Amino acid sequence: MKSTTLDRFNADKDDTELTLVEPIVVEVSADTAMTGTSFRHGVRYLRYRPELHPEDVTSPFDKP
């Protein structure tokens, strides 16, 4: 599988292997500066939230 995001840095590399994982919920710290749907600055991992299921939380990118 080719990943166009990675291709610009690895144009002469082989295919990228895809590894599927179960989604989990993590808490992060981020400021509100965004460009489109990307945070303008790095986010900081705070903790894993095993008591939450991915379907139980909303994303700042979800439309109300």
Side-chain angles (χ1 to χ4, degrees):
M1 160 184 227
K2 278 287 190 185
S3 170
T4 55
T5 302
L6 298 176
D7 286 348
R8 64 185 173 151
F9 301 110
N10 300 306
D12 58 343
K13 300 291 182 187
D14 293 332
D15 289 348
T16 303
E17 186 172 330
L18 173 66
T19 303
L20 297 177
V21 297
E22 290 293 324
I24 63 169
V25 176
V26 296
E27 186 175 343
V28 298
S29 173
D31 64 22
T32 58
M34 299 196 60
T35 301
T37 57
S38 299
F39 291 105
R40 215 179 276 173
H41 307 286
V43 298
R44 187 175 51 137
Y45 168 84
L46 296 178
R47 63 185 170 144
Y48 170 52
R49 299 295 302 266
E51 75 280 9
L52 298 174
H53 190 274
E55 295 170 356
D56 298 336
V57 296
T58 59
S59 163
F61 309 115
D62 293 340
K63 294 186 180 186

